[in-house]
Amino acid sequence: MMDKYYLGIDGGSTYIKAALIKNNEVVITKVLPTGIDNDATVEKMLKEITKEAGISQSDIAYMTATGYSRRSISVVDDTISEITAHAYGTRLTSTDGNIPSVVIDIGGQDSKIIALDENGGVKNFVMNDKCAAGTGKFIEVIAAILETTIDRVAEYSAKSVSPCQINSTCVVFAQTEIISLIAQKKSREDILCGMHISMATRISKLARRYVSKGKKVLMTGGGALNDGLRLAIEDALMCDVAKANYPQFNGAIGAALIAAEQKEKL
């Protein structure tokens, strides 16, 4: 069965991600804005993925969905919880091939801390989905106020000389705080570095109970693409934090691996 294609779809609130795998290797990944019609977005992704892979949809042996909107994606064969999918995904996204002890996933609308056992099973997890602080949306909002884009935030932050102190843990109040810092003529670089430190402080409070000396920590999600945030989390936790391979697609890759397992059981 493993010489067949399997597709995992991670239906996030902001973006839908997909990963096509074959023989336990990632063949193609794709990401599109979720939009208002999940099925239409997934259908578009399927057309693009099959065209790039040179296959037809019937060549995909099994499809599994995970994520926020997984139950509204009708084309899939099965669904799986995002915590389980993210745990499975590390089998392919871990940078050294070893199962991490802790996964820090920073998504668009939530952040997750997942503690894994030596076999990659979920031991425990905690999720922040009640507040945008500590998520990609928080970075996006602050970047817009500072008239830059989310992909340039790390670049600016790295040039900070005197990081600003940002106390607010609510994105609404933080916006007011940022505007005040701008009025004080604080630099974009120092504000963004302060934002990273503020986020890292919040995230590390959730993660610290699961992190111990010698344990591997893997960062996934779109937030892992931001080296400024990753380095700030390293400082807060006082340990190395590795950036996953295919960080945005960890959940989709995990769903694809689960799809392969499910098909083999049939």
Side-chain angles (χ1 to χ4, degrees):
M1 285 294 181
M2 289 307 293
D3 61 345
K4 296 182 180 295
Y5 291 95
Y6 301 94
L7 186 73
I9 300 171
D10 183 358
S13 55
T14 307
Y15 293 98
I16 292 181
K17 287 84 67 179
L20 184 72
I21 68 169
K22 181 182 180 181
N23 294 325
N24 268 344
E25 292 185 358
V26 178
V27 179
I28 289 172
T29 59
K30 188 73 65 177
V31 57
L32 288 174
T34 300
I36 60 172
D37 186 340
N38 289 350
D39 275 339
T41 301
V42 170
E43 190 62 37
K44 181 180 179 181
M45 295 181 90
L46 274 170
K47 287 179 180 178
E48 292 180 1
I49 287 169
T50 52
K51 182 178 180 181
E52 287 182 32
I55 61 175
S56 65
Q57 189 171 322
S58 61
D59 291 318
I60 302 174
Y62 209 79
M63 292 186 278
T64 300
T66 189
Y68 175 81
S69 59
R70 63 185 181 273
R71 291 187 177 88
S72 61
I73 299 173
S74 59
V75 71
V76 298
D77 299 293
D78 201 1
T79 62
I80 194 73
S81 80
E82 54 190 310
I83 300 299
T84 302
H86 278 282
Y88 263 75
T90 63
R91 301 177 187 191
L92 289 187
T93 64
S94 179
T95 49
D96 59 5
N98 295 321
I99 298 295
S101 299
V102 179
V103 177
I104 299 176
D105 180 76
I106 311 297
Q109 300 286 353
D110 66 32
S111 54
K112 295 180 280 292
I113 312 297
I114 309 170
L116 304 180
D117 61 28
E118 60 275 9
N119 298 314
V122 177
K123 287 170 59 179
N124 211 335
F125 72 92
V126 61
M127 181 184 298
N128 166 35
D129 60 356
K130 303 298 183 185
C131 177
T135 70
K137 186 64 177 178
F138 184 72
I139 301 174
E140 190 178 292
V141 168
I142 303 307
I145 294 172
L146 293 170
E147 298 181 354
T148 187
T149 54
I150 197 165
D151 58 313
R152 297 199 66 191
V153 163
E155 171 193 338
Y156 283 120
S157 176
K159 297 175 182 177
S160 172
V161 175
S162 179
C164 295
Q165 184 172 338
I166 298 173
N167 298 310
S168 300
T169 57
C170 170
V171 67
V172 176
F173 293 129
Q175 289 181 70
T176 303
E177 195 170 354
I178 299 301
I179 292 168
S180 175
L181 290 170
I182 293 171
Q184 296 171 43
K185 305 297 184 182
K186 300 295 184 181
S187 72
R188 177 190 282 152
E189 290 82 358
D190 287 343
I191 294 172
L192 289 172
C193 188
M195 174 197 70
H196 285 148
I197 293 169
S198 175
M199 291 180 67
T201 300
R202 185 179 182 87
I203 292 163
S204 66
K205 285 180 180 177
L206 296 176
R208 192 169 286 116
R209 74 185 75 172
Y210 305 118
V211 176
S212 57
K213 188 175 181 180
K215 299 294 186 181
K216 179 178 177 179
V217 181
L218 187 71
M219 190 168 169
T220 64
L225 299 172
N226 181 341
D227 268 343
L229 178 58
R230 184 182 60 81
L231 292 172
I233 293 173
E234 279 193 343
D235 288 343
L237 289 174
M238 293 184 290
C239 71
D240 291 337
V241 176
K243 178 174 71 176
N245 298 319
Y246 308 102
Q248 276 185 294
F249 301 95
N250 187 62
I253 290 168
L257 289 171
I258 292 168
E261 281 194 5
Q262 291 296 101
K263 182 63 177 178
E264 288 179 351
K265 292 176 182 177
L266 296 178

